[in-house]
Amino acid sequence: MSHLKNTFDNGTIKLKNRLVMPPMATAKAADDGKISREVLDYYDEKSKGGYISLIIIEHSYISEDGKASLKQLSVADDSCIEGLKELADTIHNNGSKAVMQLNHAGSLSRKEVTLNTVGPSAVINPRKLNDTVPRELTKEEIKEIVEQFRAAAIRVKEAGFDGVEIHSAHGYLLNQFLSPLTNKRTDEYGSDIYGRIKLHLEVIKAVREAVGDFPVLIRIGASDYAEGGTSMEDLRIAAKSFEKAGVDMIDISGGMCGFILPDNKEQGYFSELSEAVKNVVNVPVILTGGITEAAAAEKLLTENKADLIGVGRAILADSDWARNAIVNIL
């Protein structure tokens, strides 16, 4: 029996198989961040047949100041809820489950969307998508961001999604707090790993209290793959702390390196990181990264590198990928 076809049910999250479509920005939203016909058609096409058990919707901004780029989806105010309901219904009608990913871009905000570029510290983002030196956030502003995550999570639940994912990968704001490359603070939100995850724990607590038993996921930028970046020990401590704080699933990806490893063509190139997390937590772990063949996904599951496999760019390129994988794999 195929591991990829196996159902998953840990009492909190129930899935028909182990295939996940990870969040991938489409830039198809309306100018104000609302759900457009283009967005609905895109997710309708990807979820047709329900072969993907879980679709994680692309990163969506929790506030105007946290917006990353033009035509990004918004969860920043209640006027978004109606369109989000339509999106959730579209995916559910096709037989897949859907989770919304919440994000604040921090120092990765493009100049064309905000001039108020902020971060944990006044450090240019190593991903160099812009050359802006961010303004260091005050403690009062950090509290406001926690509240924005909480309010956004309530909207996602109200819109009928199956869960919410907190984005702390790919060099965005929470990842900036996690990484010693961008977090140079000397207050309680900086220095060691416990300080660098304080904001994460506050966000998880606020979201959990607001949504009750609604599934809460977190995507971790598990390594920066850079000297002085996040260490494997940091990752283990963070993962265990997030589980203890109430996270239901951990989604592994890259940190300041982004979502790819240019020198690594291996399918599942973050598997060393997902395996390390899987060894220290009891919640399910998602692995994404360069997986283009069902056989490779099957092998990673067989080797216990993760509980669920995210296939991104292959599904982006071919909307029949999931059907072919699930139908044809033994």
Side-chain angles (χ1 to χ4, degrees):
M1 175 66 180
S2 158
H3 287 76
L4 196 60
K5 287 183 179 177
N6 283 353
T7 57
F8 180 87
D9 184 359
N10 67 349
T12 306
I13 294 170
K14 187 175 184 178
L15 300 171
K16 64 167 76 169
N17 62 44
R18 303 302 178 101
L19 180 60
V20 176
M21 177 174 151
M24 293 176 284
T26 63
K28 293 180 185 294
D31 290 342
D32 60 359
K34 299 275 184 10
I35 298 292
S36 64
R37 171 46 55 190
E38 255 192 305
V39 169
L40 293 173
D41 289 348
Y42 169 81
Y43 283 101
D44 183 35
E45 181 181 315
K46 297 303 178 190
S47 60
K48 274 277 190 288
Y51 296 103
I52 304 168
S53 67
L54 175 63
I55 293 177
I56 305 178
I57 306 301
E58 61 202 84
H59 74 151
S60 304
Y61 60 89
I62 58 169
S63 69
E64 286 293 331
D65 282 346
K67 188 174 179 178
S69 54
L70 297 172
K71 293 189 175 290
Q72 182 187 5
L73 282 180
S74 172
V75 281
D77 62 70
D78 289 353
S79 68
C80 299
I81 295 172
E82 189 180 342
L84 292 173
K85 278 182 178 168
E86 240 188 303
L87 177 57
D89 288 347
T90 297
I91 294 169
H92 288 154
N93 289 341
N94 283 338
S96 296
K97 290 194 172 178
V99 161
M100 281 292 295
Q101 188 187 65
L102 309 182
N103 194 27
H104 190 300
S107 62
L108 274 191
S109 285
R110 305 294 180 114
K111 286 177 184 171
E112 61 265 27
V113 295
T114 181
L115 296 173
N116 183 28
T117 307
V118 297
S121 307
V123 175
I124 291 179
N125 196 295
R127 286 197 68 193
K128 294 193 167 70
L129 298 184
N130 61 48
D131 56 1
T132 307
V133 178
R135 179 178 58 77
E136 183 173 305
L137 285 161
T138 66
K139 290 183 192 177
E140 195 54 46
E141 288 172 319
I142 290 171
K143 285 191 178 71
E144 287 170 17
I145 287 168
V146 173
E147 169 57 27
Q148 288 162 356
F149 271 104
R150 186 193 72 81
I154 292 171
R155 292 179 195 115
V156 170
K157 184 178 182 183
E158 199 175 316
F161 283 85
D162 302 292
V164 65
E165 180 171 86
I166 297 161
H167 196 4
S168 178
H170 306 165
Y172 292 107
L173 183 70
L174 291 183
N175 193 188
Q176 292 157 31
F177 271 85
L178 176 67
S179 174
L181 297 176
T182 40
N183 187 343
K184 307 295 184 185
R185 298 178 76 100
T186 55
D187 63 7
E188 65 267 37
Y189 290 98
S191 66
D192 64 9
I193 183 60
Y194 296 99
R196 287 185 274 118
I197 62 171
K198 179 174 168 57
L199 174 54
H200 299 73
L201 297 178
E202 289 177 356
V203 168
I204 294 165
K205 181 174 187 284
V207 167
R208 173 55 70 212
E209 287 176 354
V211 299
D213 59 3
F214 190 61
V216 177
L217 293 68
I218 190 164
R219 193 167 216 198
I220 307 178
S223 175
D224 297 319
Y225 291 95
E227 191 176 339
T230 309
S231 70
M232 190 69 90
E233 185 54 26
D234 287 345
L235 172 61
R236 291 189 185 99
I237 290 168
K240 285 192 286 188
S241 300
F242 298 162
E243 178 185 30
K244 190 177 176 186
V247 157
D248 297 301
M249 189 179 284
I250 295 175
D251 186 359
I252 297 298
S253 192
M256 294 300 159
C257 59
F259 51 83
I260 58 170
L261 286 181
D263 301 326
N264 191 330
K265 302 298 182 207
E266 180 189 348
Q267 294 193 48
Y269 42 66
F270 294 127
S271 63
E272 180 190 15
L273 304 173
S274 63
E275 184 177 37
V277 170
K278 200 164 156 41
N279 286 337
V280 296
V281 300
N282 295 307
V283 293
V285 175
I286 305 173
L287 166 63
T288 302
I291 299 158
T292 59
E293 297 166 359
E298 188 71 21
K299 184 170 184 281
L300 289 161
L301 289 169
T302 305
E303 292 173 353
N304 216 23
K305 302 291 188 185
D307 300 287
L308 301 155
I309 297 294
V311 175
R313 280 164 293 161
I315 287 175
L316 186 63
D318 178 9
S319 295
D320 288 328
W321 192 96
R323 179 178 63 80
N324 292 335
I326 297 299
V327 170
N328 296 331
I329 201 160
L330 297 175

